[in-house]
Amino acid sequence: MYIHLGQVDLKTGEQMALGCVRCPDPSWSAQVLPLLGHKSRESREHFEQAFAGPLDQLDTRFYIGTIGGIAVTNVMIVGALRRWGGVAILGHVYTRPEHRQKGAYNALMAAQMEHIRQDGYRLITLSTGFETHPYWIYHRYGFRSIDGTSGKMKWLADERAEADYLAPGPTTVRPMRWDDWAPLEALAFQPVRPDEELPRSVLFGLKGQGGVEGPFQAVRRRIRRREAIQAVVLETAHGATVGWAALQPDPFAFGDARQLDLYVHAGFEPDAPKLLAALDLDAAARVRAYSAPPDGYRAASLREAGFTRTAELPDWLARGDERLPLRVYTRAG
């Protein structure tokens, strides 16, 4: 579905139409996909699937600027609109080389930010180069670096948005879906707590604070190929994704072995056992999990689920200037 958002005059005097293509809409794929051909294989697969049909409850939008009916600039938003509001990722910004330096993308982003706010989005994340030209464009529209030193940025519709989103409350466990993409990114962006058990995620390759945007697409691709992956999330009553657990083949072990991943945001740690209970831990002869001191909810949940600590690898992880050992937990199926 195409939504017309207005028209602007560029610096050259050319008129550019502003619009939003909400997927699925196969009729627009031929216009938009050429702007995205340089992206990764996983990203291209997402684009093609999104244009062709629904991906769970994922909201995929391509905001585009067209001149003479031809798309010349683009930005993608993927998000989840739930009871609390919306969480999204902004990405894949591209302007055709011959149309750069005309103010095309700046005009498109102004329209996109206004439209997405009107639709109920309250938290948006993105990744770019720190203090690059794009960084300052995003900064102009209210995005801020999550740590003051990186190009991982977030935008909040109001000062209470993130606190409201992560507010404590009852939770349920369900299978991980396409529409968990942006909520998981927002969760991965959270600062590392002083007592947090690292690494944050083996599944997504997170030693600490970071992003899951690319790794999430890779996981979805593996699930689509019917690989032996179980993945579940912890969701609050108002629709916030506040934890995950996954079981996948262990690339570091021989034979029938699986690797367990578990992360829960502070305030929801008592619910971690619910995530483990939703996985079939008996699906393999051995299951391994990894964690670093200090022991907390993860170590306690693993022991409760029948894991024992079988090894400790010294100086494996860093927390500031401190070097931490990596502890290996094993459970026989």
Side-chain angles (χ1 to χ4, degrees):
M1 176 177 65
Y2 177 82
I3 303 168
H4 180 66
L5 300 179
Q7 192 160 297
V8 296
D9 292 329
L10 301 181
K11 295 176 182 178
T12 57
E14 296 169 285
Q15 289 191 327
M16 184 176 75
L18 305 169
C20 173
V21 178
R22 295 194 64 178
C23 295
D25 189 340
S27 68
W28 275 93
S29 62
Q31 272 272 43
V32 179
L33 289 179
L35 301 177
L36 305 164
H38 59 294
K39 300 300 180 180
S40 69
R41 175 177 58 182
E42 287 83 7
S43 291
R44 292 196 303 271
E45 287 186 0
H46 161 246
F47 304 150
E48 293 165 359
Q49 292 175 67
F51 276 113
L55 295 175
D56 298 325
Q57 298 172 36
L58 182 68
D59 179 16
T60 301
R61 307 175 177 204
F62 294 93
Y63 288 88
I64 59 171
T66 58
I67 297 176
I70 305 299
V72 300
T73 188
N74 164 85
V75 59
M76 184 194 75
I77 295 287
V78 288
L81 279 165
R82 296 176 179 168
R83 290 177 292 281
W84 165 84
V87 181
I89 298 172
L90 183 154
H92 302 312
V93 175
Y94 184 78
T95 301
R96 294 183 186 273
E98 66 272 23
H99 292 284
R100 295 172 185 171
Q101 306 301 317
K102 298 180 179 181
Y105 178 65
N106 186 58
L108 179 63
M109 185 166 184
Q112 168 256 307
M113 291 299 295
E114 177 62 25
H115 188 247
I116 210 160
R117 183 195 285 268
Q118 290 176 1
D119 279 0
Y121 279 96
R122 298 181 66 194
L123 193 164
I124 307 174
T125 62
L126 64 83
S127 297
T128 190
F130 182 59
E131 295 191 340
T132 58
H133 178 64
Y135 177 95
W136 292 116
I137 292 177
Y138 303 136
H139 192 276
R140 187 184 311 152
Y141 287 96
F143 286 85
R144 295 293 181 267
S145 172
I146 61 174
D147 55 15
T149 61
S150 78
K152 295 190 181 303
M153 309 178 78
K154 66 183 176 185
W155 169 89
L156 303 176
D158 55 79
E159 62 180 14
R160 288 290 309 168
E162 194 164 33
D164 290 347
Y165 178 64
L166 296 171
T171 62
T172 56
V173 177
R174 59 164 175 76
M176 188 180 291
R177 303 185 306 230
W178 263 109
D179 50 295
D180 289 309
W181 188 357
L184 288 175
E185 181 81 341
L187 194 57
F189 269 28
Q190 296 302 303
V192 173
R193 306 186 304 278
D195 61 345
E196 183 174 330
E197 295 165 281
L198 301 175
R200 181 165 284 182
S201 175
V202 175
L203 179 72
F204 296 126
L206 282 178
K207 291 182 179 179
Q209 184 183 32
V212 303
E213 184 178 354
F216 178 85
Q217 292 180 83
V219 169
R220 293 307 312 179
R221 185 171 190 270
R222 293 172 62 195
I223 292 174
R224 186 183 179 203
R225 295 171 58 179
R226 301 186 183 279
E227 292 188 23
I229 299 177
Q230 302 176 44
V232 294
V233 299
L234 190 68
E235 184 179 72
T236 67
H238 64 269
T241 303
V242 293
W244 68 76
L247 202 62
Q248 64 174 333
D250 191 338
F252 307 116
F254 295 102
D256 184 21
R258 295 287 187 275
Q259 185 183 81
L260 174 68
D261 194 42
L262 174 66
Y263 173 73
V264 179
H265 182 63
F268 300 93
E269 293 172 351
D271 293 340
K274 293 163 58 174
L275 285 164
L276 296 187
L279 299 174
D280 182 7
L281 297 177
D282 295 322
R286 294 186 314 281
V287 179
R288 288 179 179 167
Y290 304 90
S291 196
D295 285 351
Y297 80 90
R298 184 186 289 166
S301 299
L302 291 173
R303 288 193 293 268
E304 184 180 332
F307 286 79
T308 58
R309 202 166 85 194
T310 54
E312 184 166 304
L313 308 175
D315 298 328
W316 198 262
L317 294 169
R319 188 200 301 273
D321 296 331
E322 183 184 9
R323 300 297 300 182
L324 303 174
L326 182 69
R327 293 170 176 172
V328 182
Y329 293 81
T330 305
R331 180 185 188 275

